[in-house]
Every structure is written in structure tokens, then in C-alpha cells.
Amino acid sequence: MFFKKKYLLAMPLLALTMANFVFAHDTDNLNINNSKAVSDKAKEASLKSVMQGLLTDTQQLTEAMLKEDFTRIAISAKNIAEHPKPSMAIRKKIMKAMGPDMIQFKANDGIVHNAAMNIVINAEQKNIKEIGEQFNQMIGGCVSCHSAFKNKVSALFK
């Protein structure tokens, strides 16, 4: 049973970590700077640094989940839910390019935010099973957004 629980958590976490690693390193051509995981200095940051900060927070969340460190789970999930926003100029550029697709773009962000907040709540209750379920929803939001919009958004900053 213990092995099954760890295995069920580990496989999606491994896939997420790999996907986030690829995305974060593929955004090197985005001309942008600062993130919550890197620094709390800037309330508004570059898109690249926001994504890299989310990657770091997700990796820390993954590790905390595997260790069942509920304090660190809550902290990492809260960082994800409350990640800094890119600068207003960057957001306007993205909104203009997205047009009507902005609804789905924002919906994905909402999925990630809500799932991360639910992880915080479940960490307080030490409910690792529900944390895993919410993590899967959170990652689903990330993957959905990346698969639908990454190329379009990346092209804006080349």
C-alpha cells in the first residue's frame, strides 16, 4: 500500500518535472526578468522569470509531497497560487495576441490557482491523497496551457 501511494504520486510528478524543465529551458529566447521563487522583490516580473519561478516551486512541491512534508507542501503550493504576474506591458501584449483565446488562457491559470489553493488546504489537513489529486489537476492546467499557447506566446517575444 505504501509503495502504491508513493508510486501514484511519483509518476505524474516525474512527468511534470520533466515537462517543466523542458519548458523553462526552452523559454531562453523570451526577452524578459524576476520571479517569486527567485526573488520576492518584484511584484511584477518577466514572463520567463514567472515560469522559471513556477518550475522551482513545482519542483519543491513535488519533493515535499514525496517526503510528506506538509509544511513545505503548503508553502510551495501557496507560492504557486500567488505567483507574481508578468509586467502590465507583457500582459497587454499577450492579451492582444490571444484575442478570444484569452478566455481559455485565463481559465488554465484559474485551474492552476484553485488546485494550488486546494493543496494548501489539504496540506493543513495532512491529506496526501487529496493533495495528489489536486496536484494532478494543477499539472493538467499547466500542460493544457503549454500545449495550447506556448508556441504562440513564445513567438511574441522572439
Side-chain angles (χ1 to χ4, degrees), residues 83-94:
H83 66 82
K85 294 178 181 179
S87 70
M88 184 54 78
I90 293 168
R91 286 185 279 166
K92 284 181 178 180
K93 190 171 187 176
I94 292 170

Side-chain angles (χ1 to χ4, degrees), residues 115-128:
M117 289 308 299
N118 286 333
I119 290 170
V120 172
I121 292 165
N122 284 287
E124 292 166 357
Q125 299 169 356
K126 298 185 181 339
N127 185 345
I128 194 68

Side-chain angles (χ1 to χ4, degrees), residues 17 49 66 78 82 108 148:
T17 300
S49 64
L66 292 172
K78 187 173 182 191
E82 297 175 356
N108 287 320

Side-chain angles (χ1 to χ4, degrees), residues 104-106 108-109 112 140-150:
Q104 185 58 45
F105 189 86
K106 288 184 109 5
N108 287 320
D109 186 58
V112 172
C142 295
V143 171
S144 176
C145 192
H146 290 194
S147 66
F149 303 115
K150 179 183 167 218

Side-chain angles (χ1 to χ4, degrees), residues 60-61 64-65 67-79 119-120 122-124 126 131:
Q60 290 173 354
L61 175 59
M65 288 172 63
K67 292 179 177 180
E68 295 189 28
D69 182 340
F70 295 102
T71 300
R72 285 184 50 220
I73 290 170
I75 291 168
S76 297
K78 187 173 182 191
N79 286 346
I119 290 170
V120 172
N122 284 287
E124 292 166 357
K126 298 185 181 339
I131 289 168

Side-chain angles (χ1 to χ4, degrees), residues 23-24 27-36 44-55 83-91 93-95 98 102 105 109 145-146 149-157:
F23 178 74
T27 60
D28 286 341
N29 60 355
L30 298 180
N31 185 15
I32 343 175
N33 345 324
N34 263 330
S35 169
K36 183 165 187 158
E44 290 194 343
S46 72
L47 181 60
K48 180 179 178 180
S49 64
V50 170
M51 289 296 127
Q52 289 175 333
L54 286 166
L55 170 62
H83 66 82
K85 294 178 181 179
S87 70
M88 184 54 78
I90 293 168
R91 286 185 279 166
K93 190 171 187 176
I94 292 170
M95 286 186 258
M98 288 294 155
M102 195 64 194
F105 189 86
D109 186 58
C145 192
H146 290 194
F149 303 115
K150 179 183 167 218
N151 290 338
K152 190 174 190 175
V153 173
S154 293
L156 292 173
F157 300 103

